[in-house]
Structure formats: structure tokens, C-alpha cells
Amino acid sequence: MRKAVILCAVFSCAAVLTACAGNGGNTNTTDDAGAMPENVLPLEIGETDAPETMLPFDPKLPIRYSPDGKSALITEDNHTDQVKRLYQVNEPKGCMEEMRWWKLQKETEQLEIWDALENQGIFEGPVSLDETGNLVNEKYYDRLLWEGLCQLWDYTEETTIRTWVDSNRTKDHMREYESREAFLSEAGFENTVPMYQYYDRYYNLRLELYMDESAEQLCGLAYCYYFNSEREKCVDRYGFTIDDVGERDWEGDTAFSLKSVYGTDGADVVEDFEETVEYTEAGKPDCYKSQGFMEHRRDEDGAPELAPVSVLDLDYVYRDDGTLYCRDYIHNPSIFGTTLCSLESYYDEKGRVVYESGYITHGQLEYFYIYGDEGEKPEYLLTVDYGGGYAIPTMERYR
């Protein structure tokens, strides 16, 4: 009997990540009322390339730009309300357009965050404020505001389904299909129920997976959503088949491991290794940073010298109930290698890792953790490697 597992995702498609602002919405915050991610720096208008005629808002308002100048946040704050408006550059049209906004009513402690492209709410409900009228858990809500922010561009939507055939019996792994129905029919899953589906926070179907349990044959479709410069929603579809299911050990969730994804800390590679950990009031890790010194050669004369380097950075975001929402991971590629030098991990309300997105030199890796009914250990791990314009899968069962 096949199981239909429906999970609600919170991250945008890997194929779109290269067009997103910043590092996927990293939301380390400051303590001021207009708190912003640390990677969004306050700049004077004259320091950006955008002329004032491009700004659809009063340039006298408090403005903070992302380092690339493509995103701007406007904050209007008074004793009753706080309104934030997030703008993004539409380069083909030569202007900035409002993408998201939030409104915090301080007297009622109600917050609403709205996505203007999806025309949907991201969050609406009660929040907790401190004695100064600021959000107690501002880090989490800033994350909701910024994550998955995608650049408007003159994209061309794919009309066919580019499919990777994972089989040792063929030399031609690359196929194209005119429709979802044609692909599922040839794969032998026409009119069947998916064993797993994955949705983003806007209820867009991101992944559907079909499985013949007796033969351990699978096929699936990955969906990547984006908006063009006309603010029209587009989707690219990638098909894949899987003929072999491997096995791997479940070593437990590593969310709170202060090690690299390879299980080491890098202390043996640098000099004067130093670690810093900050904790939340509940005693959970809030952020971790390790650093040291490595030898490099000066540009001027090529002489070697020791220079400070970051080794590993971890940042945690929690929901109001204290459950982990996501973890941002960054390691120094010169120490650990480029694969997975950045990794974003997302967790459900039960604290289980459900989705990860990581860097690889030729594109992006996605990890989908597939659970049974209420189990704490996933039954399967589906890895999707977006390389060469295809979604190349690996399916493994946990022992």
C-alpha cells in the first residue's frame, strides 16, 4: 500500500537560487526597531547605482540596501505601527518594485507579512513584543520576510519536461516530454497516487515522487517557480527516474553539531583556532563561529604572511514555540572544499529535518527527507543534483 506524505516546504527551488538576493535571506539581526539581516547594510542613496528616479518611495525615509544594491527595505515606525516594505530591482524595466510588506500593530500585537508576487500571506497572527515595542523573536520574522526573495528577469519558461533516466541499461540518459501525463505514462505510473509530495510555503507543488515498492522503481517531477519581469509566474518542470535504491545508516540529526558536514572542525588546518558560541535564553545555540589564521602570499611581493580566516559559521532560527525552523551553515571552502560550503536546513514543527539545499560547483543540491506516519527517523533520503539543466536523483533507504 502506497503512502501519501504531504509536507509543507519553506524554501524556493534550487534552479532559482542563483537569481536570489543575498545568501538566501540570512537573517542575523540587530536590536534596533528596524532590525535587518547583517548582510543588508545601511547605505546612503549616493552609494548605490540606482538613481533616485528609480525609487518608488520617498528617499528621505530610512532605507537599507542589500550589498548588491538590488534589494531595499523601507521601515516606517511609530508608537502604534511598524510598516516594512521590501523592494527588488526589476532590471529589464529599470525600476524597483515592491515585493513584500509587513505591518505590525503594536497595541494588538498582531503581525501580517504579505507577498505581493504570490498575492498570498506569509504570516498573520499574534506575536510577542518587549517593553520597547520590538518583536521578541524578530530574527524569525525577518527570516520569513527575506527568504526566497527572487530577482525579476526576462526568463523564458521551459515548455517541455527535461528528464534524466537513471538506468544502467541506457546510454541516453537525457529525454524530453511534452507533458507530465506523457512522462508518467511512459514511466509506468499513469493514474497512480504519489508516495510523497512536497509543497513550498505558498502551496506550490515542488516535488512529487512515485514508487513501485515491489520493484523499487521510482519516478518523479521537480517544479521550479519564478517570476519574470512582467511579474508573471512561471514554472519549469524536471522529470527523473530511479532504478536503484541504495541504503545508508541514520546517524541522527546533526542540527546542533558544531562540526563541519564532514564531521571535523578544521582546527588542525589553522593556527590560533578559536570558537565562539552564543545561546538563546532557552539555552539553545543561537550562532556559532570559529576562526583562525592561515598563511597566504601578499599581492605586493609574494611574501608569505598569516591572515585571519573564518573557518565555520552556523546560524539558527527558532519559531516562537522554541522549535528549530532552520539552520544556515557556511564553511571555508579552502579548508573543507567547495561542496556544501553553504547549506540551508529546514525543520518541521516536530523538529525533524525535512529539506536541505546546498552548494555544489556545478549547481545546487537538494535533499528531501521522507518520513513515515509519525516516525522520528526518515525512511528515505532523496538527493537531487541540478547539473547540466537536469534533475539527477539518488534515492537511499535508511537502515
Side-chain angles (χ1 to χ4, degrees):
M1 181 177 178
R2 292 190 176 91
K3 296 170 288 184
V5 181
I6 312 296
L7 295 176
C8 188
V10 291
F11 200 74
S12 61
C13 180
V16 181
L17 291 181
T18 55
C20 291
N23 62 352
N26 188 356
T27 51
N28 301 312
T29 60
T30 57
D31 295 327
D32 60 312
M36 287 284 294
E38 288 184 356
N39 68 325
V40 180
L41 306 176
L43 301 176
E44 298 295 332
I45 290 292
E47 294 182 49
T48 70
D49 294 330
E52 291 188 16
T53 54
M54 291 178 58
L55 304 179
F57 43 77
D58 184 352
K60 296 180 181 179
L61 290 172
I63 305 171
R64 293 191 180 184
Y65 288 89
S66 60
D68 60 9
K70 297 183 183 299
S71 303
L73 186 79
I74 312 303
T75 301
E76 298 180 73
D77 206 349
N78 56 48
H79 68 284
T80 60
D81 300 295
Q82 182 188 76
V83 176
K84 294 184 179 183
R85 299 187 183 277
L86 185 55
Y87 295 84
Q88 182 81 354
V89 168
N90 186 333
E91 294 196 22
K93 292 187 174 296
C95 65
M96 297 192 81
E97 298 195 35
E98 184 173 353
M99 308 289 280
R100 295 175 184 164
W101 55 260
W102 91 0
K103 183 175 182 179
L104 172 63
Q105 299 178 11
K106 297 181 180 180
E107 294 180 351
T108 60
E109 297 190 346
Q110 292 287 317
L111 174 66
E112 182 178 6
I113 306 176
W114 185 264
D115 189 294
L117 290 179
E118 290 280 358
N119 197 30
Q120 290 186 39
I122 296 175
F123 176 86
E124 184 175 6
V127 293
S128 297
L129 305 181
D130 61 22
E131 62 279 359
T132 62
N134 295 324
L135 281 166
V136 172
N137 193 8
E138 190 160 16
K139 187 175 185 179
Y140 169 63
Y141 295 104
D142 271 348
R143 179 70 181 223
L144 296 183
L145 178 66
W146 280 89
E147 73 180 7
L149 184 65
C150 296
Q151 182 179 347
L152 301 175
W153 196 255
D154 284 339
Y155 300 110
T156 301
E157 186 178 73
E158 292 282 349
T159 58
T160 60
I161 300 175
R162 306 177 76 178
T163 300
W164 181 265
V165 178
D166 180 38
S167 173
N168 294 326
R169 298 187 297 272
T170 181
K171 294 182 179 179
D172 180 18
H173 294 281
M174 296 173 285
R175 311 272 176 85
E176 289 195 19
Y177 294 87
E178 295 299 320
S179 66
R180 169 182 175 274
E181 291 72 24
F183 164 65
L184 291 177
S185 177
E186 185 168 314
F189 291 93
E190 186 178 20
N191 299 321
T192 59
V193 177
M195 61 90 72
Y196 172 76
Q197 290 177 301
Y198 189 75
Y199 291 83
D200 66 18
R201 64 179 179 180
Y202 303 110
Y203 306 102
N204 297 313
L205 178 61
R206 285 282 321 286
L207 178 80
E208 53 181 328
L209 188 63
Y210 297 82
M211 181 177 187
D212 182 341
E213 293 182 274
S214 61
E216 289 200 333
Q217 292 181 329
L218 300 96
C219 79
L221 288 144
Y223 298 82
C224 299
Y225 299 90
Y226 53 95
F227 289 84
N228 62 24
S229 59
E230 300 295 331
R231 302 174 69 97
E232 297 169 335
K233 190 174 185 176
C234 305
V235 58
D236 290 339
R237 298 165 296 170
Y238 299 88
F240 57 84
T241 67
I242 302 173
D243 279 0
D244 180 54
V245 177
E247 290 192 347
R248 67 186 295 160
D249 293 324
W250 173 248
E251 298 177 353
D253 186 23
T254 59
F256 298 109
S257 169
L258 305 182
K259 304 288 186 181
S260 74
V261 292
Y262 305 109
T264 58
D265 59 13
D268 58 332
V269 183
V270 300
E271 296 187 25
D272 297 329
F273 180 74
E274 182 179 88
E275 297 175 292
T276 303
V277 189
E278 296 182 12
Y279 293 91
T280 66
E281 292 184 359
K284 297 180 179 180
D286 182 51
C287 58
Y288 167 87
K289 182 178 180 62
S290 60
Q291 55 192 2
F293 290 84
M294 289 184 67
E295 185 177 280
H296 82 120
R297 296 193 175 274
R298 296 196 300 254
D299 293 335
E300 307 81 41
D301 54 12
E305 67 177 1
L306 288 177
V309 294
S310 175
V311 178
L312 181 62
D313 284 275
L314 302 173
D315 190 66
Y316 296 84
V317 180
Y318 299 90
R319 300 178 181 88
D320 285 349
D321 63 3
T323 58
L324 181 61
Y325 175 67
C326 65
R327 185 190 80 157
D328 292 328
Y329 167 100
I330 298 174
H331 74 226
N332 188 319
S334 298
I335 296 174
F336 300 103
T338 57
T339 300
L340 297 181
C341 62
S342 66
L343 180 69
E344 293 183 320
S345 306
Y346 287 84
Y347 298 79
D348 65 12
E349 288 78 2
K350 298 177 182 178
R352 306 178 304 183
V353 58
V354 292
Y355 173 81
E356 293 181 305
S357 175
Y359 172 85
I360 193 169
T361 51
H362 59 259
Q364 198 81 8
L365 292 171
E366 287 189 306
Y367 301 92
F368 298 90
Y369 294 83
I370 303 172
Y371 293 83
D373 298 329
E374 298 294 330
E376 295 184 1
K377 183 184 81 172
E379 293 186 1
Y380 296 97
L381 172 64
L382 173 66
T383 304
V384 180
D385 184 343
Y386 290 88
Y390 289 84
I392 303 173
T394 302
M395 188 79 166
E396 296 169 293
R397 179 191 297 106
Y398 282 108
R399 287 189 284 258

